[in-house]
Amino acid sequence: MDKNKKKIHWLITYGLLFAAVLLLSCGCGTTDEGDGITYFHQSIADKEKEEGTQAAEPEEGADYYLVTNVNQVEETLLLYRYENNMEYRYFYGQDTRLYNKYGNRAVITDFTPGQLVTLGEVNEEGILTKMQISDTAWVYNKVKRFSVNSNLNVLKIADTRYRYDENTFVFSGENRLQMTDIGEGDILSVTGVDKQILAVNVTTSEGTLQLQNTELFEGSFVQVGMRIFSLITPDLSMQVPEGTYTIMVANNGWGGSQEITITRGETTVVDLNQLKGKGPKKGKIQFVVDVADAVLMIDGEQVDYSKPVKLTYGNHDLEVYAAGYDVWRRSLYVNSKESTIAIALADEPSGSGGSGNSTGSSESQSSQNSQGSSQSQSSSISESERRQRELDTIKSLISGMTNGSTFTIN
C-alpha cells in the first residue's frame, strides 16, 4: 500500500464514530470475474468454508464504504470498501434501515454516488439490514469556484488545496469520469477526509423533483421514468438527472401519472393531489404460474388466477405455494389498468418444501401493455448466476416496452 493509500486507510479506519458488523455469520462474498464486483449471497457461505477460501467479510468494528452506484430498479448498491480497495454489490429492500449522518431515518434517494457510509449486517435472505451516511467525512455542495492541477494531483476549492489520487472517484450521473474531465461551469459536490478527496460528483446536469400534498401516498412509492422508484415521505424532494419522464404514484386505490421535465439546476414541483384522480381504482392482473396446481395467495387470501384478478392500486403481498418448491414471495405494486405477471418457480425442487431456504431460488417476469405497468419486488435472493440471468431478462423486457413503464425484481 503506498503512502497515500496508507493515509486514507488510517483516516478512515481510526476516525471512527459508528460501528457496523458486516456479514459475521450470514453473508459472504464471491467474485464474478465478468465485472470485477463481489456479490453477497447467503447461499455461498458454506462453499467458501469448504474450499478454505477467504470470505470477503470485514473484521468486527466500523468499516467504511463509498457509494459508487445506486440502482433503484434492481434495488442494488455498488460500494467501494476502503479496507481492501475492492468494490461490492449489495441488495437492499423495504426492510433496509437507512439513516442520515445525524442518525435520523432517510430514504434511498438520500444516498448518491460519492457518499461515505457504514453498513449493518446482511440478513438470511441476502438483504442489507442497515446503511448510514458517515459523519467522518466532510461534504461541500454546490462548489463553483475550483480548479484542477493534474500535474500535482490537486483540486483547489476556493483558496484551499486538496489532494486526490488514483482512488478518488469522479461521478457524473451514472458515468465515471477523470478529474481532467471536469470543466469550467460545472457544479460539484465534493467528499473528503482532512485534505484528501475521496469523491467528486458533478451535479451540473441534475434538477430537483419536489412532491407536494404527499399525505395520501406516503408509505407507498413514486416511480420516475424507467430507473427511479422511491418510497414517498412527507414533501419528498430528490435529485433527478435532467430529462423528460413519466411520473406515477398509486396507493389504496388512488393514483395516476403525468409527464414531467427536469431541468438542470431548477426545481420541478408535482402536486400529488393532481395525480390521485378518481378512486378507488383497480388494475386487472393476469397471473401465469409455470407449475400446475400452484396456490396463489394475495394479501393472505387464496385467489383463482385462471382469470384476471382485480387489485386496487397500491401494494399487495404475493405468495405462491407448490409441492416440492420453496414458497415464492413478492410485493406487487399495481399502478396500471392491465398487466401480466409471469411467475417462474425454482427450476429444481428444494427437497424440503420449506420457505426461503438458501438452496432455493425464484424468478419473476412481468410484461405490460401500453396502458400501464406493475412493480414486482422480491423478498428472497437467488445465487448470482441466476440473478444475472433474471436481470438480463428484465433489461430485454424493458428495452422492448413502448410506454416507458417498468418493473422491479429482487
Side-chain angles (χ1 to χ4, degrees), residues 74-144:
E74 298 173 2
E75 290 194 319
T76 59
L77 300 159
L78 292 186
L79 304 174
Y80 177 82
R81 184 185 177 199
Y82 285 94
E83 179 68 23
N84 56 9
N85 297 319
M86 292 183 63
E87 195 168 21
Y88 298 89
R89 174 170 289 154
Y90 289 87
F91 298 98
Y92 70 90
Q94 296 182 33
D95 294 330
T96 303
R97 303 187 307 277
L98 305 174
Y99 300 93
N100 62 21
K101 67 178 182 179
Y102 304 108
N104 299 322
R105 292 302 292 264
V107 294
I108 193 62
T109 52
D110 294 327
F111 292 81
T112 57
Q115 289 178 323
L116 195 67
V117 298
T118 57
L119 306 182
E121 298 178 354
V122 172
N123 66 20
E124 60 184 8
E125 295 177 338
I127 303 295
L128 187 64
T129 60
K130 176 183 176 181
M131 181 167 65
Q132 180 167 356
I133 298 173
S134 170
D135 67 351
T136 299
W138 49 258
V139 179
Y140 297 152
N141 292 313
K142 297 182 179 180
V143 176
K144 299 180 180 180

Side-chain angles (χ1 to χ4, degrees), residues 9-226:
H9 178 73
W10 186 90
L11 289 168
I12 293 176
T13 303
Y14 296 96
L16 309 180
L17 291 179
F18 298 101
V21 180
L22 175 64
L23 303 174
L24 292 180
S25 60
C26 61
C28 299
T30 181
T31 300
D32 185 325
E33 296 180 357
D35 57 13
I37 296 170
T38 296
Y39 295 78
F40 277 82
H41 297 284
Q42 166 75 7
S43 58
I44 66 172
D46 294 337
K47 181 178 178 182
E48 283 187 333
K49 291 178 181 178
E50 291 174 0
E51 296 177 349
T53 57
Q54 182 178 0
E57 59 181 71
E59 301 82 5
E60 183 173 354
D63 202 356
Y64 286 88
Y65 292 75
L66 189 80
V67 178
T68 61
N69 182 268
V70 180
N71 190 319
Q72 295 181 39
V73 170
E74 298 173 2
E75 290 194 319
T76 59
L77 300 159
L78 292 186
L79 304 174
Y80 177 82
R81 184 185 177 199
Y82 285 94
E83 179 68 23
N84 56 9
N85 297 319
M86 292 183 63
E87 195 168 21
Y88 298 89
R89 174 170 289 154
Y90 289 87
F91 298 98
Y92 70 90
Q94 296 182 33
D95 294 330
T96 303
R97 303 187 307 277
L98 305 174
Y99 300 93
N100 62 21
K101 67 178 182 179
Y102 304 108
N104 299 322
R105 292 302 292 264
V107 294
I108 193 62
T109 52
D110 294 327
F111 292 81
T112 57
Q115 289 178 323
L116 195 67
V117 298
T118 57
L119 306 182
E121 298 178 354
V122 172
N123 66 20
E124 60 184 8
E125 295 177 338
I127 303 295
L128 187 64
T129 60
K130 176 183 176 181
M131 181 167 65
Q132 180 167 356
I133 298 173
S134 170
D135 67 351
T136 299
W138 49 258
V139 179
Y140 297 152
N141 292 313
K142 297 182 179 180
V143 176
K144 299 180 180 180
R145 185 184 168 196
F146 65 89
S147 62
V148 177
N149 187 326
S150 57
N151 294 322
L152 298 177
N153 284 2
V154 168
L155 173 64
K156 185 178 180 181
I157 301 176
D159 298 320
T160 305
R161 292 178 174 84
Y162 299 89
R163 299 183 301 273
Y164 67 88
D165 57 25
E166 68 276 8
N167 292 324
T168 298
F169 286 82
V170 183
F171 305 98
S172 179
E174 296 183 355
N175 300 317
R176 297 189 187 181
L177 308 178
Q178 302 295 322
M179 290 294 291
T180 52
D181 294 326
I182 300 174
E184 184 179 354
D186 282 332
I187 302 174
L188 312 179
S189 175
V190 184
T191 302
V193 174
D194 195 13
K195 290 300 182 70
Q196 180 70 42
I197 302 294
L198 302 182
V200 177
N201 203 327
V202 182
T203 61
T204 313
S205 60
E206 294 182 345
T208 301
L209 172 62
Q210 175 71 59
L211 302 185
Q212 290 183 346
N213 296 316
T214 56
E215 293 84 357
L216 181 61
F217 298 97
E218 288 168 14
S220 183
F221 298 88
V222 59
Q223 180 181 337
V224 183
M226 304 276 285

Side-chain angles (χ1 to χ4, degrees), residues 175-305:
N175 300 317
R176 297 189 187 181
L177 308 178
Q178 302 295 322
M179 290 294 291
T180 52
D181 294 326
I182 300 174
E184 184 179 354
D186 282 332
I187 302 174
L188 312 179
S189 175
V190 184
T191 302
V193 174
D194 195 13
K195 290 300 182 70
Q196 180 70 42
I197 302 294
L198 302 182
V200 177
N201 203 327
V202 182
T203 61
T204 313
S205 60
E206 294 182 345
T208 301
L209 172 62
Q210 175 71 59
L211 302 185
Q212 290 183 346
N213 296 316
T214 56
E215 293 84 357
L216 181 61
F217 298 97
E218 288 168 14
S220 183
F221 298 88
V222 59
Q223 180 181 337
V224 183
M226 304 276 285
R227 298 190 60 82
I228 301 175
F229 187 63
S230 179
L231 181 71
I232 297 177
T233 56
D235 298 323
L236 175 66
S237 177
M238 68 176 77
Q239 294 301 114
V240 178
E242 64 177 338
T244 299
Y245 304 88
T246 297
I247 180 173
M248 291 178 282
V249 293
N251 195 34
N252 295 327
W254 303 87
S257 64
Q258 74 176 60
E259 188 175 273
I260 62 171
T261 297
I262 301 295
T263 304
R264 68 172 63 189
E266 297 184 6
T267 297
T268 299
V269 178
V270 176
D271 185 349
L272 297 191
N273 278 343
Q274 303 299 318
L275 283 183
K276 68 179 183 180
K278 297 180 179 180
K281 296 180 182 178
K282 291 188 177 182
K284 187 183 296 184
I285 312 298
Q286 178 67 67
F287 294 94
V288 180
V289 185
D290 68 340
V291 176
D293 300 324
V295 175
L296 174 63
M297 308 284 289
I298 300 179
D299 298 330
E301 296 184 3
Q302 184 175 345
V303 298
D304 177 10
Y305 59 92

Side-chain angles (χ1 to χ4, degrees), residues 323-338:
Y325 292 87
D326 290 338
V327 178
W328 185 97
R329 290 187 174 92
R330 297 291 189 275
S331 178
L332 177 68
Y333 178 61
V334 178
N335 62 4
S336 63
K337 294 180 179 179
E338 295 182 353

Side-chain angles (χ1 to χ4, degrees), residues 347-363:
D347 291 340
E348 298 182 2
S350 67
S352 65
S355 173
N357 62 39
S358 62
T359 61
S361 59
S362 59
E363 292 181 343

